[in-house]
Amino acid sequence: MSVASAAEQAFRSTHGTEPAGLWAAPGRVNLIGEHTDYNDGFVLPFAIPQQTVAAVAPFAGPGWTITSDLVNETVSFETTGPGEVQGWAGYVAGIVWALQDAGFDVPPARIALSSDVPLGSGLSSSAALESAVLTALTDLGGFDLPVAARPGLAQRAENVYVGAPTGIMDQSASIRCEQGKALFLDCRSLEVEQIPFDLAAEGLAILIINSNAPHQHVDGEYGARRKSCEEGARILGVPALRDVTPDELDEALAKIDDEVIRRRVRHIVTEDQRVLDTVDLLRAGRAREIGPLLTASHVSMRDDFEITVDQVDVAVEAALASGAYGARMTGGGFGGCVLALIDTDKAETTTAAIEMAYEQRGFTAPTIWPATPAQGARKL
Ligand code: ADP
Ligand code: MG
C-alpha cells in the first residue's frame, strides 16, 4: 500500500470520516556540505522518494488530534507553549505553535500521518513530518505564507518548541526541493537555486546505504562541533567560518593554537568550497566528475571533523572498491547513511560488495536503495 493510501485509511479508521485532503513532504539526503549550515555556509540536499503523508480535515475543535502509524499512538492537544507537548507529537504541536506565533489563526484539525522515511537515520523524518503538517495547515487555513518563509517557521518549531538545535537545511530541502534537481542553499542569505541533477539521463544513480548503526552520543557531539566552530570563528574574528576562504585557510589555521579547533575549521572551509565546486560541475552537466569531491568530503568528515563511525567508513571503502565514482557519509554523523555515485548498471554489484563487507565485519546488515531526486512538499 502506498504511504498516501495508508494515511487516508488511518484517518478513516481513527476518525470515522474522510480527510479533506492529503499533503506530502519528503525526507532528504545531503549530496554534499556537512555541518556547514550552522556556519552560514552552503549545502546541496535533494529530496528522496520516501515521504510523510498527512491526511487532514478541519473539525469543530477545540485543538488538534493527531495519529501516526509509525508510533501507533493518538495524541490530542490544545494551544500550547514550547515544550508542553513532548515526544513525537511535539513536532506537530510545534508547527501549530510556530504558525500561531507568526500571527496565523490555525484551524482545529484532525491529522493522520503515515511515512516511509526511516526515523532517526539522518534522512530527516522530522522535517518531513513538520513540512507535511505545515503545508496542510497553511492550505487549510488559507494563509498567505510564501514558500520561502516556510522553512524558517518549521525550523522554529524544531529549535524552539521541540528544543532540537538544528540548522535550516532539512526543512528547506523538504519544502523547496524539486524533482530531478538538487537544492543549492546559501544558509546565510537563504537564497536557493535549483541545480540540475537528473542522474538517470546520464546513466547514473545515487545509492543510499543506511548503515543501521546505532546512533551514539549524537546530541552531545553535535553540540561540541557547533561550539568548536563558533570558537574558531571568534578566534579568527569573523562572523562565521563561511567568511574564511580556502586561500586564507593556512593563514587562519596558524592563528589557532588548539589542534582540534584547527581541524574543525579546516573541514568547514574546505567543505564549503567542495559544495561550490560540485555546483559548478553539475551546472556544466558533468555529474560523473563530482565523485572525487564526495570522497574528499568523506575523508574530511572522518579525519578533520571526526563524525564518522566504522560502519560508514566501511560502506564508503566498499563502494569505492567496487567502482563507485565517489562516496561519503551524509547527515550529521555518528551512524546514519552513506551515499555513493555509481553507474546505474553497477547498483547490484556495489550493493553486494557493501553487504559482504558488513558481513565480514560482523555489522548489522545495511539497507541499500537507489534514490532519484524527488519533489518537495505538496498537496497530493
Ligand atoms: P531524523 O530527522 O534524522 O529522522 P530526528 O531525531 O531529527 O531524526 O527525528 C526523528 C523523530 O521525529 C522521531 O523520533 C519522532 O519523534 C519524530 N517523527 C518523525 N516522523 C514521524 C512520524 N511519521 N510519526 C511520528 N513521529 C515522527
Ligand atoms: Mg531530524
Side-chain angles (χ1 to χ4, degrees):
M1 191 178 14
S2 73
V3 180
S5 312
E8 205 168 8
Q9 223 172 73
F11 191 96
R12 275 194 210 109
S13 63
T14 311
H15 302 298
T17 59
E18 292 294 313
L22 301 172
W23 286 263
R28 61 97 191 97
V29 284
N30 189 21
L31 183 59
I32 194 161
E34 223 61 74
H35 287 258
T36 44
D37 57 351
Y38 56 81
N39 288 291
D40 277 5
F42 307 108
V43 294
L44 190 61
F46 64 91
I48 57 175
Q50 283 85 354
Q51 58 183 356
T52 298
V53 174
V56 187
F59 87 123
W64 294 264
T65 297
I66 60 176
T67 183
S68 167
D69 62 354
L70 283 187
V71 289
N72 230 330
E73 194 188 5
T74 303
V75 176
S76 295
F77 61 89
E78 294 188 22
T79 315
T80 62
E84 274 176 40
V85 177
Q86 295 277 317
W88 71 276
Y91 292 88
V92 179
I95 292 295
V96 171
W97 168 79
L99 278 166
Q100 289 176 331
D101 203 53
F104 295 108
D105 186 13
V106 184
R110 291 166 159 157
I111 302 175
L113 297 152
S114 183
S115 181
D116 61 356
V117 185
L119 299 189
S121 294
L123 297 170
S124 213
S125 70
S126 59
L129 172 59
E130 292 153 9
S131 304
V133 170
L134 174 64
T135 309
L137 293 178
T138 298
D139 279 3
L140 277 184
F143 303 148
D144 180 16
L145 182 61
V147 171
R150 297 180 192 187
L153 200 144
Q155 186 196 12
R156 282 199 82 212
E158 187 150 346
N159 289 173
V160 183
Y161 193 100
V162 178
T166 57
I168 188 78
M169 168 169 67
D170 298 352
Q171 294 83 4
S172 299
S174 188
I175 290 169
R176 306 198 68 181
C177 278
E178 291 179 8
Q179 194 162 350
K181 308 275 169 58
L183 186 80
F184 177 36
L185 170 66
D186 179 333
C187 297
R188 172 171 281 165
S189 69
L190 299 186
E191 266 175 48
V192 302
E193 183 184 338
Q194 304 289 344
I195 305 296
F197 195 45
D198 188 1
L199 293 165
E202 297 193 52
L204 293 169
I206 291 273
L207 272 191
I208 299 181
I209 302 112
N210 187 343
S211 71
N212 292 327
H215 273 98
Q216 282 175 339
H217 317 301
V218 182
D219 294 345
E221 295 285 357
Y222 180 86
R225 296 303 177 286
R226 279 188 87 133
K227 240 181 113 203
S228 296
C229 290
E230 281 161 20
E231 181 63 10
R234 194 192 59 75
I235 295 168
L236 297 173
V238 290
L241 292 181
R242 182 255 179 81
D243 298 300
V244 182
T245 65
D247 287 348
E248 299 161 348
L249 181 58
D250 284 344
E251 206 180 308
L253 294 179
K255 291 184 193 150
I256 302 171
D257 293 332
D258 186 304
E259 159 67 17
V260 171
I261 296 179
R262 263 205 308 272
R263 276 188 273 129
R264 305 298 188 248
V265 169
R266 187 165 55 204
H267 167 73
I268 298 298
V269 174
T270 58
E271 185 78 350
D272 271 332
Q273 188 59 42
R274 283 186 288 269
V275 177
L276 298 176
D277 292 345
T278 301
V279 166
D280 282 345
L281 286 170
L282 293 181
R283 279 199 195 111
R286 293 161 59 188
R288 210 168 248 103
E289 294 170 50
I290 70 171
L293 292 164
L294 302 179
T295 305
S297 167
H298 185 78
V299 170
S300 180
M301 289 190 286
R302 186 191 63 200
D303 298 345
D304 276 348
F305 222 60
E306 297 179 282
I307 52 174
T308 71
V309 294
D310 283 350
Q311 282 91 334
V312 305
D313 292 338
V314 165
V316 167
E317 281 155 27
L320 293 173
S322 78
Y325 292 106
R328 64 183 288 273
M329 184 187 78
T330 177
F334 307 99
C337 294
V338 165
L339 57 79
L341 179 68
I342 57 167
D343 283 320
T344 311
D345 57 13
K346 285 264 184 64
E348 274 176 33
T349 46
T350 303
T351 300
I354 297 166
E355 284 171 348
M356 172 115 73
Y358 268 52
E359 211 177 299
Q360 280 169 356
R361 297 290 195 107
F363 296 155
T364 303
T367 317
I368 306 176
W369 69 95
T372 44
Q375 183 64 37
R378 71 216 177 273
K379 186 170 196 292
L380 295 180

